[in-house]
Amino acid sequence: EDFLRAIDESMKSYAIGDMVKGIVVQIDRDGVLLDIGSKMEAFIPMKEISARRVFDVYDILSIGQMVQANIIRLDEEGQYILSMKEAEVISLWDQVEAIWNSDEKVVSGEITKIVKGGMIVDIGVRAFLPSSQSHINKDADFTTFVGQTVEAKIIQFERYKGNIVISRKALIENDLKQEKMIHFGKLKEGLAYKGTVSGINNFGIFVSLGLVSGLVHKSKMGKWTPEQFTVGHEIDVEILEVDFDKDRLSLAFKG
C-alpha cells in the first residue's frame, strides 16, 4: 500500500492550459496516446494533431517520439485531453510576433484564398494582404495567384484579435529605398553624368540618374530654357550638390 501511494504521489498533475511534453506510445485512427508522466496516458484526438491538413499521421508522428502539446480538458475518467494543434498555433504566433518585433518584419507564405479587398496568405498563421498593398495591377485576375508564395512585410499585428496585415508594397518600396540610398552615396559632387529628362516645369527640368533624380534649375542651363528639352531626352549633367539629409541633387546642364 505504501509502495502504491509512493507511485501515486510521484505521478505528475497538470492544469487546463498547461503546455506539456510527452512520448508517443500509441497511434490509431482515433488519435494518439502520450505518456506525460501522469496516472493515465494522455490522449490527443486526431483533429487536434496539427493546425495544418494531415493526410497521414505517420508522416509527422512515430512511436517513441517526444512531442509538445497543450492540455485542453480533463474527461470524465480523469484522462488529460491534449492538443498539438493548439500548441503549434501558439508556437507559430510566437514566431510571427518575434518577426513583428524585429527590424525587418519580413515573412513569406502561400496565397490560399481571394477575399473581398485582398488575399489570405498562410504565413504559419492566417494573414491578410490587402489588394492595395499587393503590388499587383488592380485589373489582374487575382485568382491566378492562389497557390503562389509571396514575401511581404508585416504592417499590422494584433495577436489577441488574431489580426495580421502584410504588405508587398511596403517591402518592395523599402528595398528600392535601400538601393536608392546606396546609389545616392556613390554620386560625387563636381563629376559629370549622363541622365534622362524625366520632367519639365517653368523653373527647370528634372533629370533621372537611374534610381535617383535631380533638378537642373533654369539658372544652370546656360543659354537653354526648359521649353527646349523633351522628356526622355538624354543629356549630360554635372552634380553641383548632394544633399543626403533631404535626399536631393542639384544639377547643372553640360551642353
Side-chain angles (χ1 to χ4, degrees):
E1 186 176 329
D2 291 340
F3 176 70
L4 293 175
R5 186 183 301 111
I7 293 176
D8 189 58
E9 290 175 353
S10 70
M11 294 296 176
K12 297 178 182 177
S13 60
Y14 302 96
I16 305 301
D18 283 354
M19 192 77 73
V20 298
K21 289 184 178 180
I23 297 173
V24 176
V25 295
Q26 181 179 317
I27 302 173
D28 60 32
R29 66 180 184 179
D30 295 321
V32 175
L33 287 179
L34 205 65
D35 180 2
I36 60 172
S38 59
K39 292 181 183 180
M40 188 183 300
E41 290 164 341
F43 179 65
I44 307 174
M46 193 59 69
K47 67 179 182 179
E48 297 294 337
I49 295 293
S50 177
R52 301 175 185 273
R53 184 183 299 179
V54 177
F55 295 100
D56 187 346
V57 68
Y58 288 98
D59 288 339
I60 59 173
L61 291 177
S62 59
I63 302 298
Q65 181 179 343
M66 176 73 76
V67 299
Q68 183 170 270
N70 199 54
I71 297 177
I72 55 176
R73 68 178 186 275
L74 194 66
D75 72 8
E76 60 276 4
E77 296 179 358
Q79 184 179 40
Y80 290 114
I81 308 301
L82 312 182
S83 173
M84 286 177 62
K85 177 171 69 176
E86 193 164 311
E88 181 183 346
V89 169
I90 290 171
S91 176
L92 289 169
W93 273 97
D94 287 344
Q95 293 173 40
V96 175
E97 186 168 13
I99 294 171
W100 166 249
N101 290 324
S102 70
D103 293 333
E104 292 79 13
K105 305 186 190 309
V106 177
V107 293
S108 62
E110 181 184 331
I111 297 171
T112 59
K113 188 178 181 181
I114 306 302
V115 295
K116 184 178 180 180
M119 309 174 182
I120 300 301
V121 181
D122 180 3
I123 61 170
V125 292
R126 175 187 167 113
F128 178 58
L129 174 60
S131 301
S132 61
Q133 297 294 325
S134 67
H135 211 262
I136 297 172
N137 189 302
K138 64 180 181 179
D139 297 322
D141 180 2
F142 278 52
T143 60
T144 62
F145 294 94
V146 173
Q148 292 190 21
T149 299
V150 295
E151 192 173 51
K153 183 176 183 178
I154 301 174
I155 57 173
Q156 187 175 340
F157 181 88
E158 297 172 298
R159 178 165 184 162
Y160 296 104
K161 290 184 179 180
N163 181 39
I164 301 173
V165 181
I166 60 177
S167 170
R168 285 189 68 224
K169 180 180 177 182
L171 178 63
I172 291 168
E173 287 179 349
N174 184 64
D175 289 344
L176 287 174
K177 183 178 180 180
Q178 290 181 1
E179 288 182 32
K180 181 178 177 180
M181 291 308 297
I182 292 171
H183 188 71
F184 201 80
K186 293 179 180 179
L187 300 175
K188 304 296 182 182
E189 294 177 0
L191 295 184
Y193 295 85
K194 284 193 178 295
T196 304
V197 177
S198 58
I200 301 170
N201 56 37
N202 57 6
F203 57 81
I205 61 172
F206 290 97
V207 179
S208 171
L209 300 179
L211 292 175
V212 296
S213 296
L215 172 68
V216 179
H217 191 269
K218 62 183 180 181
S219 64
K220 303 298 180 182
M221 293 181 179
K223 296 180 180 180
W224 289 63
T225 63
E227 294 78 15
Q228 292 177 277
F229 293 89
T230 56
V231 172
H233 185 200
E234 188 176 87
I235 62 173
D236 293 317
V237 294
E238 177 187 341
I239 295 181
L240 300 177
E241 182 184 6
V242 179
D243 190 332
F244 291 98
D245 294 330
K246 295 183 179 179
D247 192 18
R248 187 168 63 190
L249 294 176
S250 295
L251 309 173
F253 173 57
K254 303 286 288 183

